[in-house]
Amino acid sequence: MPNSYTSLWTNDLCRELERSGYAGRRLTMMFGGPHQSLPSFERAGVQPGDTIHPVRVSRTRLHVLGAMEVSRIIPYQDAGSELHDDDYAKLLDWRPLKAGCVTEVLLGPPGAPLTFGTVVPPDLLERLTFTSRRGERTLKYLEEGRLMRSVSLQGIYRLAADSAAELRRLVLDGGR
């Protein structure tokens, strides 16, 4: 069964994407690497068929920015030879996402439109659950429905099935 993951994007990246007109565009590509600033999706266990939800934390609120289903993961060094012309053009188009040392490219069919205003409601924030081999966990540093620190989101984390379904509904409803 496919899994869903979150990937924390910085506010600087989100502001750049907003300024550059990416709002409303459907994600077709993401990048991973070996560093905390651009973590590895493969190391996190992401497989084709899984869904990635990019998120950001701004002013103590968690925003879900969209969703993309992964169809392929390829080494970045092989992108030029493995990608068809259309996909290679997308690689160039999504270059703002390529911060730092890139080692992998995630490709997918067009996902949910990229938005920057969809806030995770406080009640969902309180019950948002992540799962790993060590068990389940919720977010730390919550106070009265606000996220005071983003440290428990830094990286790529697998969502528990119920939380994945709720984030998916939130993305599909556009925060309404």
Side-chain angles (χ1 to χ4, degrees):
M1 181 167 171
N3 292 306
S4 292
Y5 294 80
T6 61
S7 175
L8 183 65
W9 288 4
T10 66
N11 285 316
D12 286 342
L13 171 62
C14 291
R15 281 189 289 273
E16 173 63 28
L17 291 170
E18 282 181 287
R19 272 193 303 270
S20 300
Y22 283 83
R25 295 184 52 193
R26 296 179 179 275
L27 282 168
T28 56
M29 190 166 289
M30 290 189 207
F31 302 90
H35 304 297
Q36 185 176 352
S37 61
L38 191 67
S40 171
F41 288 93
E42 286 185 313
R43 199 169 340 131
V46 173
Q47 299 287 319
D50 291 344
T51 299
I52 309 297
H53 293 281
V55 296
R56 87 189 271 194
V57 177
S58 178
R59 299 183 180 174
T60 71
R61 303 286 182 235
L62 178 63
H63 298 251
V64 62
L65 307 173
M68 186 188 92
E69 182 181 325
V70 178
S71 61
R72 290 175 63 196
I73 303 173
I74 61 171
Y76 181 71
Q77 67 197 30
D78 298 341
S81 61
E82 286 202 31
L83 294 178
H84 299 290
D85 290 345
D86 290 345
D87 285 333
Y88 194 77
K90 292 175 190 173
L91 179 91
L92 299 175
D93 189 41
W94 286 103
R95 69 182 167 274
L97 298 179
K98 292 184 349 181
C101 299
V102 175
T103 58
E104 60 199 37
V105 180
L106 279 70
L107 302 164
L114 195 57
T115 62
F116 298 97
T118 305
V119 176
V120 176
D123 61 320
L124 175 53
L125 191 64
E126 295 278 346
R127 65 179 183 277
L128 201 61
T129 305
F130 298 89
T131 186
S132 71
R133 284 182 235 119
R134 294 185 294 207
E136 292 190 345
R137 70 168 178 87
T138 56
L139 291 171
K140 296 179 182 178
Y141 309 110
L142 290 175
E143 291 180 15
E144 299 174 6
R146 299 179 310 155
L147 187 58
M148 306 312 288
R149 295 184 188 163
S150 62
V151 69
S152 56
L153 285 166
Q154 291 175 350
I156 299 165
Y157 294 104
R158 186 174 49 168
L159 288 157
D162 289 348
S163 292
E166 290 194 75
L167 275 191
R168 179 169 174 70
R169 271 192 299 278
L170 188 63
V171 166
L172 293 176
D173 292 344
R176 290 185 291 270

